[in-house]
Amino acid sequence: DGGITQSPKYLFRKEGQNVTLSCEQNLNHDAMYWYRQDPGQGLRLIYYSQIVNDFQKGDIAEGYSVSREKKESFPLTVTSAQKNPTAFYLCASRIAGYTGELFFGEGSRLTVL
Amino acid sequence: ILNVEQSPQSLHVQEGDSTNFTCSFPSSNFYALHWYRWETAKSPEALFVMTLNGDEKKKGRISATLNTKEGYSYLYIKGSQPEDSATYLCAFNQDSNYQLIWGAGTKLIIKP
């Protein structure tokens, strides 16, 4: 079945460590997105990519980095520079150049100890 | 600053009853309005993408209306069932910007 796979589902990190969240899709979508969800708030865009080897910062990119070396993959690294990294992270994709529906993964919950 | 508001934040509804909730968004430079259903431990799933003022879309017992001039959309659920329990998110596209601005969601709990 086509879809988006995020891993790990749960991740614990010590302060000062970088962690990488995986996002893989087999929907043949060009555009991929990373969102952060905090309690009581709407999803906030961290980074997005419309095409391989290109990506743009979203509203809250500070302390995060991404790469887009393959169409299927859009990993997110939460660096030690991110001041408040404990959150739920969602990856999504859709057809590039299209403002239609997003397809989402099930999310990754990061907790910093 | 663009803002999308959803109300109420949460809602308890008796099984079999109908319900509705609201998404408010900026009325200028409207491009599209999205509704998603997000069940616990699952991925958010698209319900509707609406683009035309006055549009009404339906999927089974769920329907949505759109008023772009006044900046609101209603989501209706007829004859609520336990499987309707979820958080319902709306998101707004302004112009043809690919970025979506999201509301915080309405959490719907259906009481058997």
Side-chain angles (χ1 to χ4, degrees), chain B residues 17-86:
Chain B
D17 288 351
S18 296
T19 187
N20 65 84
F21 27 93
T22 308
C23 174
S24 301
F25 52 86
S27 56
S28 59
N29 302 322
F30 175 87
Y31 196 82
L33 192 283
H34 297 226
W35 281 103
Y36 291 80
R37 175 170 58 199
W38 192 1
E39 295 179 64
T40 303
K42 294 188 177 179
S43 314
E45 288 185 337
L47 289 171
F48 308 110
V49 179
M50 308 178 79
T51 56
L52 298 175
N53 184 43
D55 203 6
E56 180 170 345
K57 296 208 171 186
K58 191 174 179 182
K59 184 183 282 190
R61 294 179 292 99
I62 303 177
S63 61
T65 61
L66 179 67
N67 183 324
T68 61
K69 295 192 187 311
E70 296 183 39
Y72 64 84
S73 175
Y74 292 136
L75 191 79
Y76 299 90
I77 302 178
K78 187 176 176 183
S80 303
Q81 299 297 310
E83 59 265 30
D84 296 326
S85 293

Side-chain angles (χ1 to χ4, degrees), chain B residues 5 7 12 16 29 32 44 51-53 58 66 79 87 91 96-97 99 103 105:
Chain B
E5 300 283 346
S7 62
H12 288 71
N29 302 322
T51 56
L52 298 175
N53 184 43
K58 191 174 179 182
L66 179 67
T87 296
S96 57
N97 188 321
Q99 294 192 38

